[in-house]
Amino acid sequence: MRITLSTLHKMMRDGQKISMLTAYDASFAALLDAAGLETLLVGDSLGNVLQGHESTLPVSLRDMVYHTQCVSRGAKRAFIIGDMPFGTFQISPQEAFRNAAEIMAAGAQMVKIEGGRPMLDTISFLTERGIPVCGHLGLTPQSVHQLGGYRVQGKAEDDAQRMLDDARILEQAGAGMIVLEAIPAALASQITAAANVPTIGIGAGVDCHGQVLVLHDMLDVYPGKKAKFVKNYMKGAGSIQEAVALYVKEVRDGTFPGREHSF
Ligand code: KIV
């Protein structure tokens, strides 16, 4: 039976950690599904790891629809989240709805939108019309040029306060989940304690309700420089299945991420 957003909210309330990895094709989606991951993210990180771009900015709606279709054919149980690519949700809530609807029709059960307060109207518009939305705060890769690089966010007191406020605002707008990327573990812990929806961390410490990594990073097949928060699960593993099983176990028992993967 398909995992739903209600299943994930219940896991949060019961104190059970949620495991997520990115997936872009049917074969890996089936493998991750069989490994018991609760959620798969069709991330626009496919721009980096599949297409070889330096950022996620060139990823199109067409790319996201295609890869979401592939993943949804492979995964029968996991909850599937599709990223809204750069330029498809910023102009108006109406346009965002039209584009999100394509990702949902491709097989996603939720869309992910990067950004805080400025996304409030769009998130309300989508969630009031039946499209679940996952927020994404902290290091938002689509804003890499605005942020001046892939840097840890929320270190200064005023930035940290803004992120705490943004998390509350996203939740009030209807976001059903929030990804926290590359922020101090203590800040993620505060956001998580105040949240009534699951927080999923990537470089945000162990206190989040769940964890996500980019599949090609944790399998050590991406040739680029690795972020501090990435753990190479292929090290010592006899197979991809074994590596993924260890990731799921470590997320569930709280041994990943360790202090060495956190800020
Ligand atoms: O696109 C992606 O893979 C993501 C994760 C890094 C959270 O947004």
Side-chain angles (χ1 to χ4, degrees):
M1 216 167 58
R2 179 77 72 183
I3 289 180
T4 65
L5 190 54
S6 312
T7 322
L8 301 172
H9 279 216
K10 181 168 186 320
M11 286 181 72
M12 175 196 71
R13 287 194 301 274
D14 293 348
Q16 289 175 275
K17 297 277 188 186
I18 298 166
S19 57
M20 181 190 295
L21 282 172
T22 62
Y24 316 103
D25 68 65
S27 300
F28 268 111
L31 185 153
L32 301 177
D33 212 31
L37 279 126
E38 289 85 20
T39 44
L40 301 183
L41 170 64
V42 189
D44 62 354
S45 50
L46 68 86
N48 304 95
V49 300
L50 297 192
Q51 298 175 336
H53 294 298
E54 280 181 9
S55 76
T56 57
L57 302 189
V59 176
S60 67
L61 181 63
R62 206 186 162 104
D63 294 333
M64 291 311 305
V65 166
Y66 171 75
H67 287 283
T68 303
Q69 286 169 338
C70 295
V71 168
S72 77
R73 283 186 213 115
K76 301 294 174 225
R77 176 178 170 274
F79 184 77
I80 299 170
I81 304 173
D83 253 337
M84 296 281 293
F86 179 65
T88 64
F89 60 91
Q90 291 90 344
I91 293 173
S92 70
Q94 287 79 359
E95 190 180 60
F97 185 90
R98 206 173 303 117
N99 293 330
E102 288 203 38
I103 295 177
M104 298 297 283
Q109 280 96 50
M110 175 179 243
V111 297
K112 178 163 77 60
I113 287 181
E114 292 187 10
R117 185 185 294 263
M119 294 304 126
L120 193 156
D121 289 346
T122 296
I123 294 175
S124 301
F125 194 88
L126 265 57
T127 54
E128 282 165 5
R129 287 161 181 78
I131 298 186
V133 176
C134 176
H136 185 157
L137 297 174
L139 170 51
T140 45
Q142 292 173 12
S143 306
V144 60
H145 300 302
Q146 177 92 340
L147 299 174
Y150 296 101
R151 302 163 193 275
V152 180
Q153 302 295 309
K155 287 204 285 193
E157 211 171 300
D158 53 340
D159 289 342
Q161 188 56 53
R162 192 167 345 105
M163 220 180 293
L164 269 161
D165 294 342
D166 277 356
R168 188 177 34 80
I169 287 166
L170 293 191
E171 190 182 316
Q172 280 169 1
M177 197 183 294
I178 302 176
V179 165
L180 300 173
E181 179 164 355
I183 65 171
L187 173 59
S189 187
Q190 251 185 300
I191 293 174
T192 300
N196 296 300
V197 299
T199 59
I200 308 293
I202 172 163
V206 73
D207 288 340
C208 296
H209 299 117
Q211 299 292 329
V212 60
L213 282 177
V214 170
L215 182 67
H216 291 54
D217 283 341
M218 57 86 75
L219 294 181
D220 199 30
V221 291
Y222 182 57
K225 189 169 168 279
K226 300 287 181 304
K228 175 182 173 170
F229 52 73
V230 173
K231 176 169 174 179
N232 174 6
Y233 277 93
M234 281 309 284
K235 205 168 170 184
S239 65
I240 290 174
Q241 283 85 347
E242 222 177 281
V244 170
L246 183 61
Y247 170 75
V248 173
K249 178 193 166 297
E250 291 195 346
V251 169
R252 286 192 183 150
D253 65 20
T255 48
F256 177 79
R259 290 170 74 92
E260 69 277 24
H261 307 115
S262 307
F263 301 102

